[in-house]
Amino acid sequence: MTQPNDQRSQLEALYAEMAPANLTPLWESLAQLVPKRPQSPAVVHRWSYDQARDYLIRAGDLISAEQAERRVLILENPGLQGLSSIVPSLYAGLQLILPGEIAPAHRHTQCALRFVLEGEGAFTALDGEKAIMGPFDLVLTPGWQWHDHGNPSDRPMIWLDGLDIPTVRHFDAGFAESFPEKTHPETAPPGDTLARYGRNLRPVRGSAADRRPAHQPLFHYPYADWRPALDAMAGAATIDPHLGHALEFLNPADGGPVMPTIAAQVRLLPAGFETRARRSTDGTVFVVVEGKGRAVVEGREIALEPRDVLVVPSWQELRLGAADDLVLFSYSDRAAQEKLNLYREECA
Ligand code: GTQ
């Protein structure tokens, strides 16, 4: 809009006068407030696992899990400084539990997922039931369920935490409590829930049926289960040109995404496969499980190595290429966006 100088200066004077009354003119910011398409402040970024791991292990020498409550290095998007966010709606961190340590029991309204990157035999206990974790297992801690972590093994355990912290902050709906003891008393043997709800079964009635929340019973999705499923799919299905062979983790209670705000997937791209370009409104966090490859985001190429973490913001065009068989885990806020009728994607 071209404006005569005197109009501009009179407007500026008016804005200055109204500012103390906490009033601002919409017409100066309408295009940003109601953008033609998403213009994420987040940027594409890759964290090298080896580099992040070094810092995390050094932190392990300086502060205990118990003292820290959660010993975690936040993966903060360079475009979202100070916000502890990897995309505007989601958080990511790398958590370390050393042999013998306990991260004390607490609960909060934020939903969390853990994706194991290193170690074997540590656990997350959910409402007093341990999920014994191994590499590339997915473990959930849905909102307001008690959880503590412990590592009885003799090696460090490192996993990626994915939480909806910024979403809950956005809604001003954060609550948290500490459990009165370090760990929640055991309520069931390890693997009890997985044995039932993980096999398309559920207890019909009685204490076994009442123990887990009906809307969110399952919380452990082991690598040993999901990895063969990807291979079976790759052996039998035509490959999706934009995704590769992709599977979503489901909540067995409703057949929907794993948690109300977060959806999680794994995918396999056979060696030599290149996806066609695709963009979606759910900025996505990827973890490389196996293989090497590359991501091309809006024309910028990024090399991918095992256990690297890559974030691709909303509406940025992504192509993925596999040098070897490339297996990726990913999570995003698609679960929330679909409920709000916001989710869109565009495939080339
Ligand atoms: O393990 O409960 O990375 O509460 C951030 C907040 C992990 C956890 C995080 C948390 C946790």
Side-chain angles (χ1 to χ4, degrees):
M1 185 166 40
T2 56
Q3 292 165 335
N5 275 347
D6 64 332
Q7 185 197 20
R8 191 72 223 163
S9 59
Q10 285 178 48
L11 280 170
E12 298 285 357
L14 179 62
Y15 303 160
E17 252 187 79
M18 66 172 80
N22 304 299
L23 296 165
T24 62
L26 170 65
W27 57 90
E28 296 288 351
S29 52
L30 184 58
Q32 278 150 277
L33 293 176
V34 187
K36 292 232 174 349
R37 60 193 65 81
Q39 296 191 321
S40 186
V43 297
V44 59
H45 191 75
R46 178 209 49 209
W47 285 264
S48 135
Y49 182 69
D50 292 343
Q51 185 188 42
R53 183 190 189 279
D54 271 5
Y55 288 117
L56 188 54
I57 296 288
R58 281 169 63 188
D61 290 336
L62 298 174
I63 186 166
S64 72
E66 203 174 315
Q67 194 188 0
E69 186 163 341
R70 296 294 184 265
R71 190 204 288 111
V72 177
L73 296 185
I74 300 170
L75 306 181
E76 188 174 73
N77 190 292
L80 302 171
Q81 273 175 23
L83 294 172
S84 303
S85 304
I86 191 158
V87 292
S89 59
L90 296 173
Y91 159 105
L94 289 174
Q95 180 157 179
L96 167 67
I97 311 248
L98 290 167
E101 285 192 322
I102 286 172
H106 69 191
R107 65 177 177 180
H108 37 69
T109 44
Q110 291 83 2
C111 294
L113 62 78
R114 330 279 167 192
F115 189 71
V116 178
L117 294 173
E118 181 180 329
E120 176 96 54
F123 63 83
T124 291
L126 206 66
D127 287 333
E129 181 192 335
K130 286 176 184 160
I132 314 280
M133 300 153 86
F136 311 124
D137 283 8
L138 172 66
V139 172
L140 311 180
T141 56
W144 213 239
Q145 300 191 12
W146 293 111
H147 53 286
D148 49 270
H149 313 290
N151 184 358
S153 84
D154 57 8
R155 281 183 301 155
M157 180 91 170
I158 297 176
W159 62 71
L160 181 83
D161 284 323
L163 286 91
D164 59 4
I165 287 174
T167 298
V168 175
R169 180 172 62 200
H170 173 76
F171 285 115
D172 274 342
F175 290 89
E177 284 179 356
S178 294
F179 196 71
E181 293 147 58
K182 270 189 224 162
T183 56
H184 193 289
E186 187 163 82
T187 52
D192 193 58
T193 295
L194 181 61
R196 303 161 199 276
Y197 298 92
R199 294 182 178 148
N200 280 324
L201 294 167
R202 68 175 182 206
V204 176
R205 63 181 172 204
S207 63
D210 296 340
R211 196 172 54 76
R212 297 289 308 140
H215 65 285
Q216 189 89 68
L218 187 60
F219 59 95
H220 191 185
Y221 299 75
Y223 173 79
D225 289 344
W226 66 257
R227 186 66 186 83
L230 267 187
D231 272 341
M233 186 180 181
T238 43
I239 193 160
D240 182 281
H242 300 94
L243 300 176
H245 296 292
L247 289 169
E248 180 176 2
F249 294 98
L250 293 185
N251 177 352
D254 58 12
V258 281
M259 290 184 290
T261 47
I262 303 179
Q265 298 186 353
V266 281
R267 64 180 82 175
L268 168 63
L269 279 64
F273 184 78
E274 286 249 2
T275 66
R276 304 236 305 254
R278 174 179 172 272
R279 62 174 105 230
S280 61
T281 51
D282 61 330
T284 302
V285 181
F286 292 92
V287 181
V288 181
V289 174
E290 287 163 27
K292 290 189 183 181
R294 59 177 197 151
V296 183
V297 180
E298 296 289 335
R300 194 181 136 200
E301 183 169 332
I302 296 153
L304 299 175
E305 306 229 349
R307 296 190 278 198
D308 286 351
V309 178
L310 171 74
V311 60
V312 179
S314 169
W315 217 241
Q316 299 206 3
E317 188 183 78
L318 169 67
R319 285 183 289 132
L320 289 165
D324 338 304
D325 283 1
L326 183 66
V327 178
L328 302 172
F329 166 81
S330 66
Y331 70 97
S332 80
D333 65 8
R334 209 201 68 228
Q337 289 200 26
E338 284 186 336
K339 291 186 188 72
L340 301 173
N341 288 334
L342 293 173
Y343 182 74
R344 288 196 199 191
E345 58 180 52
E346 197 175 83
C347 292

